[in-house]
């Protein structure tokens, strides 16, 4: 992938609003955002209802993903353009799903919903009109997803990138600051992980920074581009944003998103945890 | 609960306010509340920490750590506005942001 293949601008979306082969998909946690107004023709995906298994902690399987996209009228050959609130966190997370399940042409709207709103571009409450499709997903691409044992084995061996805010990394906060802080898991970070907050990859309006700025952001923070990389956050959506930057924009091979993230790691028995601003050592 | 910001902020109904360092307020333009503005919380080093869109009543709410913070407000057809605020456990720091 590359920036050109993975990202589209608001102007590009504006020019393709009536293109039937381009499917806009808004992905939010707070779906009232979509209901109060969305980009013309956009279908809705609810981060929790549509993308998470209703019982166990995992995301939807191949069949569930196929049923979801068929119901929304997304075809295998369509260009899917994802956007959403929270600086595209959940849109990036959904983008990662589309890649996991092998969709060939998927992109992010640079800046997401925020950029669109700050530009005072038009939103509508009209429901989209797409006929159902028969979507076929591929098998999950295991090269994009990290599990807990792999993360523990990566301590001191691979790049671990903690994309949460500095206070969450250090253990002074357990969740982003728009959420209550009482949580079950321990506070801190995985030893040897670099703290490179997802927000450093984005401008205030939610668009991604330039390639050379992104490259030096990670290199200066100690990411060795010769090694494999695992990104994590609290539940895996902010790290999907960073996965997007590293794997799709900067075209780094071997970058995985650890969607178990801190809510899993911080609850594991017996694993090492570092509290404070220093990365800590492997032993 | 996920990581996403609820418009206007999480309700305090089920929150033990005594254990939280809350920063909340309202965004106004010409005396009217501004819904759909983007309010960003930056830490003492200027590092981004959280963001949320305001409710129809222009409201926002953060659960911070004790210390000094900057609240930055972005809205269509307005320049960004920065406001300094101090948070502490058990208190609600309240501000009105005029854009």
């Amino acid at each position: 992938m590359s920036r050109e293949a993975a990202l589209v601008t608001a102007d590009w979306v504006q020019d393709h609003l009536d293109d039937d082969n381009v499917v806009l998909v808004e992905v939010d946690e707070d779906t009232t955002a979509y209901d109060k107004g969305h980009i013309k023709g956009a279908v809705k995906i609810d981060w929790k209802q549509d993308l998470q298994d209703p019982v166990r902690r995992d995301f939807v399987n191949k069949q569930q993903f196929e049923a979801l996209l068929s119901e929304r009228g997304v075809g295998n050959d369509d260009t899917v353009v994802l956007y959403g609130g929270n600086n595209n966190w959940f849109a990036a997370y959904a983008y990662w799903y589309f890649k996991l399940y092998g969709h060939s042409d998927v992109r992010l709207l640079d800046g997401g919903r925020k950029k669109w709103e700050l530009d005072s571009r038009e939103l509508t409450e009209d429901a989209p009109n797409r006929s159902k499709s028969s979507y076929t997903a591929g098998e999950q691409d295991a090269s994009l997803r990290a599990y807990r044992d792999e993360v523990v084995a990566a301590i001191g061996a691979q790049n671990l990138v903690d994309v949460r805010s500095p206070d969450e990394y250090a253990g002074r906060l357990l969740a982003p600051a728009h959420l209550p802080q009482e949580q079950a898991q321990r506070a801190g970070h995985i030893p040897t992980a670099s703290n490179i907050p997802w927000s450093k990859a984005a401008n205030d309006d939610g668009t991604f920074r330039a390639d050379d700025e992104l490259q030096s952001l990670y290199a200066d923070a100690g990411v060795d581009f010769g090694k494999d990389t695992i990104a994590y956050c609290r539940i895996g959506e902010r790290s999907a944003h960073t996965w997007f930057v590293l794997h799709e924009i900067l075209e780094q091979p071997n970058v995985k998103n650890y969607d178990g993230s801190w809510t899993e790691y911080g609850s594991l028995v017996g694993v090492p945890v570092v509290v404070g601003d220093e990365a800590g050592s492997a032993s | 609960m996920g990581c996403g910001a609820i418009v206007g902020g999480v309700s305090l109904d089920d929150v033990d306010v005594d254990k939280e360092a809350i920063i909340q307020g309202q965004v106004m333009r010409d005396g009217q509340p501004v819904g759909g503005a983007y309010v960003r919380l930056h830490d003492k080093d200027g590092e981004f920490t959280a963001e949320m869109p305001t409710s129809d009543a222009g409201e926002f709410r953060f659960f911070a750590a004790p210390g000094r913070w900057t609240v930055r407000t972005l809205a269509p057809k307005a320049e960004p506005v920065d406001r300094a605020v101090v948070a502490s456990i058990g208190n609600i720091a309240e501000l009105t942001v005029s854009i």
Side-chain angles (χ1 to χ4, degrees):
Chain A
M1 296 305 287
S2 64
R3 176 179 289 261
E4 289 69 32
L7 271 180
V8 294
T9 63
D11 283 341
W12 187 94
V13 169
Q14 194 92 48
D15 290 342
H16 289 81
L17 286 178
D18 296 314
D19 185 340
D20 282 343
N21 297 318
V22 173
V23 188
L24 289 164
V25 182
E26 175 159 342
V27 191
D28 281 312
E29 183 180 40
D30 172 18
T31 51
T32 63
Y34 175 93
D35 297 338
K36 281 193 286 194
H38 49 264
I39 301 177
K40 181 185 163 194
V43 299
K44 170 170 77 170
I45 289 183
D46 180 324
W47 166 80
K48 192 168 280 176
Q49 299 279 342
D50 296 329
L51 295 179
Q52 306 298 316
D53 186 281
V55 179
R56 59 200 193 109
R57 183 171 176 202
D58 203 345
F59 53 70
V60 288
N61 63 28
K62 180 175 180 291
Q63 289 72 28
Q64 291 166 314
F65 191 69
E66 288 174 339
L68 170 68
L69 295 196
S70 299
E71 196 276 325
R72 296 295 197 277
V74 179
N76 282 81
D77 296 329
D78 287 335
T79 296
V80 172
V81 177
L82 298 157
Y83 75 96
N86 290 97
N87 296 277
N88 268 340
W89 290 355
F90 292 92
Y93 185 70
Y95 180 104
W96 178 66
Y97 275 51
F98 275 84
K99 283 293 176 188
L100 276 167
Y101 285 125
H103 192 85
S104 59
D105 190 0
V106 54
R107 318 196 186 182
L108 273 188
L109 164 57
D110 200 12
R113 192 181 164 100
K114 179 166 68 170
K115 168 73 173 154
W116 191 269
E117 289 180 5
L118 291 174
D119 285 353
S120 301
R121 294 177 194 260
E122 191 180 351
L123 296 171
T124 178
E125 291 177 25
D126 295 345
N129 179 24
R130 295 196 70 83
S131 32
K132 295 199 183 344
S133 67
S134 180
Y135 191 88
T136 307
E139 294 300 329
Q140 221 182 89
D141 181 352
S143 73
L144 305 180
R145 189 183 194 192
Y147 290 92
R148 60 177 180 268
D149 293 345
E150 194 178 349
V151 171
V152 173
I155 294 172
Q158 295 183 20
N159 301 308
L160 287 166
V161 180
D162 184 322
V163 315
R164 298 172 299 162
S165 63
D167 279 339
E168 291 174 85
Y169 176 84
R172 292 185 289 268
L173 287 178
L174 266 163
H178 56 260
L179 295 175
Q181 294 297 319
E182 279 205 279
Q183 308 278 337
Q185 70 271 13
R186 298 306 173 101
H189 59 267
I190 302 172
T192 72
S194 309
N195 182 211
I196 312 172
W198 69 272
S199 54
K200 285 186 180 293
N203 299 303
D204 275 4
D205 67 4
T207 55
F208 290 99
R209 292 191 189 280
D211 288 8
D212 54 341
E213 292 173 338
L214 293 171
Q215 189 86 29
S216 45
L217 166 64
Y218 295 98
D220 293 350
V223 170
D224 177 351
F225 286 118
K227 290 182 177 177
D228 294 353
T229 300
I230 296 173
Y232 74 93
C233 60
R234 191 178 76 104
I235 57 169
E237 82 311 17
R238 285 178 284 176
S239 48
H241 185 276
T242 293
W243 172 86
F244 181 87
V245 172
L246 290 168
H247 194 267
E248 303 295 282
I249 297 182
L250 295 180
E251 302 179 74
Q252 291 301 311
N254 306 325
V255 182
K256 293 185 177 185
N257 183 22
Y258 172 36
D259 58 303
S261 270
W262 194 256
T263 52
E264 175 175 83
Y265 191 94
S267 300
L268 291 175
V269 175
V271 297
V273 169
V274 175
V275 176
D277 296 307
E278 301 303 320
S281 63
S283 52
Chain B
M1 185 181 289
C3 272
I6 309 230
V7 171
V10 173
S11 160
L12 293 181
D13 291 350
D14 297 318
V15 173
D16 186 347
V17 175
D18 290 342
K19 294 181 178 171
E20 303 283 350
I22 293 168
I23 298 168
Q24 66 181 31
Q26 199 178 20
V27 178
M28 308 287 283
R29 177 170 12 213
D30 302 329
Q32 297 297 316
V34 180
Y38 284 87
V39 182
R40 296 163 69 83
L41 187 67
H42 293 255
D43 72 13
K44 62 182 186 341
D45 300 317
E47 192 61 56
F48 172 91
T49 303
E51 176 186 276
M52 72 174 56
T54 54
S55 68
D56 289 345
E59 293 161 336
F60 61 89
R61 175 176 295 128
F62 294 109
F63 299 87
R68 289 170 29 238
W69 299 87
T70 299
V71 171
R72 174 170 299 167
T73 303
L74 309 178
K77 303 184 179 75
E79 292 298 312
V81 174
D82 283 0
R83 291 284 302 275
V85 62
V86 175
S88 60
I89 298 287
N91 286 311
I92 298 178
E94 187 95 37
L95 49 154
T96 302
V97 178
S98 297
I99 60 169

